[in-house]
């Protein structure tokens, strides 16, 4: 593992650890209290967006590493930023936290499973993986290091020493988020020679992909007929994938393949833009209705 890969892995593990410090048993217990809304929020993440992405990669003639990156981002769970954006957009923050908590646990099984079979059933990506001698099941080890261990440690620490964790979780979370954004920006700057008109197709793919996630979240929420505040949380959860986790998996498992890094990095930036835009529109809508 290179120094760059090690630093990124530590940053992502710290981010997951800081998020886990804030989780409580009530976040998981809430699933039993509002199962309909939680299930509605999980379906876009683990069924609709991955399935739609897989179909798109079969229909489109894109480079295999770009298709692999799209699939990887799609099968990753929602990130912690979704909770912040949901709160800003006056959605149901408690529901967003519960969906994120359950999604993180489910991802330990569903992310590598979905990725492995989607890559294997796409002739282009299957051949590309064989050429690189990469086994999709290696993602299990990446998730163990980047997700499972820091989450278990954070949950344990938060349960045993709540007063201590209350002091460190906010500054630790802020530091890890800023460090991840700095890493993404630094990576893009290091490849600034590529940041020209040639990158526009990849940016277009990311924008459409992200819009598809948001749309599928909205359609699922409509189908389940959930309340307005719940619908906002589900839309954000559907469109804000943990691209940081995807970036970490690319660095550890795919030796930082440039095409995959660009897609994951653009996702990391764009989904913040789209999420904040939606949240702002919702706030403006609330302000209009209040008058």
């Amino acid at each position: 593992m290179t120094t760059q890969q090690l630093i990124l892995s530590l940053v992502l593990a710290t981010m997951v650890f800081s998020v886990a410090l804030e989780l409580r048993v009530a976040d998981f217990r809430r699933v039993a209290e509002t199962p309909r809304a939680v299930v509605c929020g999980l379906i876009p993440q683990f069924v609709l967006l991955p399935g739609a992405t897989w179909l798109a990669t079969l229909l489109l003639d894109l480079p295999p590493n770009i298709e692999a990156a799209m699939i990887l981002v799609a099968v990753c769970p929602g990130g912690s930023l979704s909770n912040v954006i949901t709160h800003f957009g006056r959605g149901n923050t408690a529901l967003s936290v519960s969906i994120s908590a359950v999604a993180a646990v489910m991802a330990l099984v569903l992310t590598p499973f979905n990725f492995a079979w989607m890559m294997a059933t796409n002739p282009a990506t299957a051949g590309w993986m064989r050429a690189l001698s990469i086994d999709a099941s290696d993602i299990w080890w990446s998730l163990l290091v980047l997700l499972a261990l820091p989450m278990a440690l954070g949950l344990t620490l938060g349960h045993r020493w709540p007063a201590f964790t209350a002091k460190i979780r906010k500054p630790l979370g802020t530091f890890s988020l800023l460090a991840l954004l700095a890493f993404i920006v630094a990576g893009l700057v290091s490849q600034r020679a590529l940041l020209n008109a040639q990158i526009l197709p990849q940016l277009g793919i990311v924008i459409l992909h992200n819009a598809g996630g948001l749309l599928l979240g909205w359609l699922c929420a409509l189908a389940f007929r959930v309340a307005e505040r719940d619908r906002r949380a589900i839309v954000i959860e559907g469109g804000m994938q943990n691209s940081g986790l995807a970036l970490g998996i690319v660095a550890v498992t795919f030796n930082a393949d440039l095409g995959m890094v660009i897609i994951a990095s653009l996702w990391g930036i764009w989904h913040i833009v789209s999420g904040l835009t939606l949240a702002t529109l919702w706030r403006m809508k609330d302000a209009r209705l209040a008058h």
Side-chain angles (χ1 to χ4, degrees):
M1 182 181 291
T2 66
T3 302
Q4 186 182 34
Q5 291 170 332
L6 179 61
I7 292 174
L8 177 58
S9 298
L10 290 174
V11 168
L12 291 170
T14 302
M15 177 175 284
V16 173
F17 173 74
S18 65
V19 171
L21 290 177
E22 300 185 38
L23 295 179
R24 295 292 180 266
V25 175
D27 297 327
F28 295 93
R29 187 183 299 128
R30 199 177 293 115
V31 177
E33 299 171 355
T34 57
R36 181 184 180 86
V38 173
V39 169
C40 180
L42 294 171
I43 289 176
Q45 290 190 42
F46 291 111
V47 179
L48 299 182
L49 182 59
T53 302
W54 174 68
L55 288 174
T57 61
L58 292 177
L59 296 173
L60 300 175
D61 186 21
L62 299 172
N65 59 342
I66 300 300
E67 293 187 350
M70 291 172 61
I71 292 173
L72 179 58
V73 170
V75 300
C76 281
S80 58
L81 278 173
S82 62
N83 309 145
V84 178
I85 299 297
T86 297
H87 178 72
F88 180 70
R90 295 173 179 164
N92 189 336
T93 308
L95 174 61
S96 177
V97 171
S98 294
I99 294 172
S100 296
V102 176
V105 175
M106 293 176 63
L108 296 174
V109 174
L110 292 182
T111 292
F113 174 79
N114 281 343
F115 184 77
W117 81 259
M118 288 180 182
M119 292 290 286
T121 52
N122 181 324
T125 55
W128 178 72
M129 293 279 282
R130 285 194 299 270
L132 294 178
S133 299
I134 294 176
D135 186 350
S137 63
D138 291 342
I139 291 180
W140 285 96
W141 295 106
S142 299
L143 288 175
L144 179 66
V145 173
L146 300 175
L147 191 61
L149 292 180
M151 177 170 289
L153 184 60
L155 287 170
T156 302
L157 194 65
H159 178 71
R160 292 177 64 90
W161 295 285
F164 172 69
T165 56
K167 295 179 180 179
I168 68 171
R169 64 190 180 195
K170 188 171 182 178
L172 196 62
T174 302
F175 165 77
S176 60
L177 175 59
L178 292 176
L180 177 60
L181 292 175
F183 190 93
I184 292 174
V185 171
L188 292 175
V189 170
S190 69
Q191 301 294 333
R192 57 186 176 276
L194 300 173
L195 301 182
N196 50 37
Q198 294 180 353
I199 206 175
L200 291 179
Q202 289 95 318
L203 178 59
I205 289 170
V206 167
I207 291 174
L208 291 174
H209 198 196
N210 174 247
L214 294 169
L215 176 62
L216 290 170
W218 180 71
L219 291 174
C220 192
L222 284 183
F224 275 69
R225 297 181 180 179
V226 297
E228 169 74 14
R229 293 184 67 245
D230 293 353
R231 183 162 63 246
R232 293 181 182 183
I234 291 165
V235 168
I236 293 299
E237 289 292 330
M240 295 199 71
Q241 303 305 101
N242 194 339
S243 52
L245 178 60
L247 192 59
I249 293 173
V250 170
V252 174
T253 306
F254 294 90
N255 198 27
D257 176 86
L258 182 58
M260 297 185 75
V261 167
I262 289 175
I263 292 293
S265 298
L266 291 175
W267 248 96
I269 295 171
W270 179 254
H271 76 166
I272 297 175
V273 174
S274 64
L276 284 174
T277 300
L278 260 182
T280 301
L281 291 174
W282 286 333
R283 290 175 68 92
M284 292 171 61
K285 174 186 175 182
D286 292 344
R288 287 196 304 270
L289 293 176
H291 287 84

